[in-house]
Amino acid sequence: MSENKKSIEEMLDEVDGIIERLESGDIPLEDSFKIYEKGMKSIKEINSRIDKVEKKIIELDASEGEEV
């Protein structure tokens, strides 16, 4: 499943797993950098999706306020 097809919850679970792996200290430093990079990309995608949802909510609230 591609990053864009995963739900926000699935991506957050993935980031939690990445954090656990990094905190374990059981992986080589080079692998840690790769895992960290993947986690940061996931966090950016999560933030982007949340921003889009927030904008939609603001737009809906604004349009509902005009109809009242």
Side-chain angles (χ1 to χ4, degrees), residues 44-66:
K44 286 181 183 180
E45 175 66 21
I46 291 166
N47 285 334
S48 174
R49 289 188 189 185
I50 290 172
D51 286 345
K52 288 178 186 175
V53 170
E54 287 177 342
K55 286 178 186 175
K56 286 181 184 177
I57 290 171
I58 290 168
E59 289 173 8
L60 289 172
D61 284 345
S63 68
E64 285 181 11
E66 292 171 3

Side-chain angles (χ1 to χ4, degrees), residues 1-67:
M1 186 179 282
S2 73
E3 288 289 319
N4 291 333
K5 300 296 182 189
K6 291 181 184 178
S7 71
I8 291 174
E9 292 83 1
E10 289 171 324
M11 292 180 75
L12 286 170
D13 286 342
E14 194 173 271
V15 170
D16 283 342
I18 288 170
I19 291 169
E20 287 177 15
R21 287 186 66 194
L22 291 172
E23 288 179 339
S24 74
D26 293 338
I27 52 177
L29 187 58
E30 188 172 320
D31 291 343
S32 294
F33 290 135
K34 290 176 186 176
I35 293 168
Y36 176 82
E37 181 179 16
K38 181 179 181 187
M40 290 306 295
K41 286 179 181 179
S42 292
I43 290 170
K44 286 181 183 180
E45 175 66 21
I46 291 166
N47 285 334
S48 174
R49 289 188 189 185
I50 290 172
D51 286 345
K52 288 178 186 175
V53 170
E54 287 177 342
K55 286 178 186 175
K56 286 181 184 177
I57 290 171
I58 290 168
E59 289 173 8
L60 289 172
D61 284 345
S63 68
E64 285 181 11
E66 292 171 3
E67 294 174 10

